[in-house]
Amino acid sequence: MMYLIIGAGPAGLTFANRLLDKGINDFRIIEMESSAGGLCRSEDVDGTPLDIGGGHFIDVRRPKVNEFLFRFLGKDEMAEYDRVTKIRTNAGRIDYPYEANIWQLPIDDEVEHLKSIASAGCNTGAKEPENFRDWIVWKLGRKIAEDYMFPYNEKIFSVDLDTLGTYWMNKLPDVSFEDTLRSCLMKKPYGTLPGHAKFYYPRKYGSGELWLRMAERIKDYIDYNTKAEDINIESKSVNGGSYKADIIINTAPWTIFDKISGVSDEFNRAVRELRHSSIVVKYLPDTEDGKVNWEYVPDPSVDYHRILYRNTFAKGSKGSWAEINLKRYEAKEGDVAFISGYAYPLNTVGKPENISLILKEAREHDVYGLGRWGEWEHYNSDLVVELAMELAEKIA
Ligand SMILES: Cc1cc2nc3c(=O)[nH]c(=O)nc-3n(C[C@H](O)[C@H](O)[C@H](O)COP(=O)(O)OP(=O)(O)OC[C@H]3O[C@@H](n4cnc5c(N)ncnc54)[C@H](O)[C@@H]3O)c2cc1C
């Protein structure tokens, strides 16, 4: 065949649909699960949808992407929401993002934060550190680091934070003493709105419905329950030659293959160094009666790091969804819980070099890494769709 696509998540589904849009039908998708959608799948629990890979919302900020997605799930089938999210701190709930809402804390905590921000390295002109923990203190001050950033990141990723790089944190704003002081005095947030300030969520369904509809259009091209166990990059073949193509689009995690052949030793070394974390999404039957869509929970004594109140975006629904790192999850009898083995690609020290080596060498053989796992980045689905559309435009 001309194209073999590994994985029927948002990346693979978008790429395949764009091929069909161009009149190309010489392709196949192999998907190891029995249904499409990857991390964005949903299941019915308690009569209403639950997003099994964690709460999934479509950002409104990419009009071209939205136009494409609305072909499958019409805009009239989506509801648009203004995001309302909170952080549960030791001193009570405040709005997200933390640094812009210190003014909502009790006065003693505000003072402690102001003292800490005034002494943060990025405000005093201290040299930028390289290791993760020191860098966070340098950027945000010790108080935000210790009360929020350290415990939250430890909970979500469950790794030694110093194995993470700092390159992916560069989008964090500088927390200026003057802005924070002004915000505390005026009792108003400052700074720009976070991503997902507005989002779409299907009116009647879970987020998975969108991807099921996308898969429906190309159903004759998908082999479900078919895992790519091994891949030969040079001969562009998978599973000992059962699948062979001129071009392979890989959206599966590079580390999932039992064997990668037809590559340099350096390639396999780089793959072995990639890390990821896994999450559990657990259903909690209690319904919160409020407006908060979701809440971040840095408190180490609570197992989940985020809780989503689904009645605020899945109309008429009950209960909440808790996201828990698999390493922190203690299963109890009667739990309704779903595990995503591959949830977060970890931004470890050395990852940018490793993934660019992998992508470059693979590309030389017309094998393309695409999406959250193919490119090993914390991409959201709207960005993945955009990248898949661009790749189809470029190579098809
Ligand atoms: C907790 C959480 C919350 C998130 N929230 C949002 C959000 O609100 N909004 C948003 O836009 N994005 C969100 N995301 C990101 C979103 O999940 C990803 O952007 C999206 O799923 C990436 O699509 P993908 O196709 O690249 O990868 P995936 O969705 O992971 O799909 C990969 C597919 O490949 C298949 N596969 C894997 N290995 C093999 C193999 N060896 N052989 C065959 N098939 C294989 C998998 O079964 C899967 O179907 C969130 C992610 C997480 C973890």
Side-chain angles (χ1 to χ4, degrees), residues 7 9-11 31-32 38-39 55-57 228 252 344 372-373 379-381:
E31 166 55 55
M32 65 186 223
L39 280 167
H56 275 80
F57 311 94
Y344 290 97
R372 190 168 175 95
W373 301 106
Y379 289 157
N380 269 353
S381 60

Side-chain angles (χ1 to χ4, degrees), residues 155-168:
K155 283 180 78 175
I156 189 169
F157 299 128
S158 281
V159 287
D160 172 0
L161 295 185
D162 281 335
T163 62
L164 301 179
T166 57
Y167 51 90
W168 60 292

Side-chain angles (χ1 to χ4, degrees), residues 177-205:
F177 174 70
E178 204 180 304
D179 286 345
T180 314
L181 178 61
R182 186 167 286 134
S183 148
C184 288
L185 292 172
M186 294 170 70
K187 306 218 165 298
K188 265 170 57 176
Y190 76 88
T192 49
L193 287 170
H196 276 156
K198 282 181 185 295
F199 62 82
Y200 296 117
Y201 196 83
R203 286 182 198 281
K204 277 213 286 197
Y205 311 96

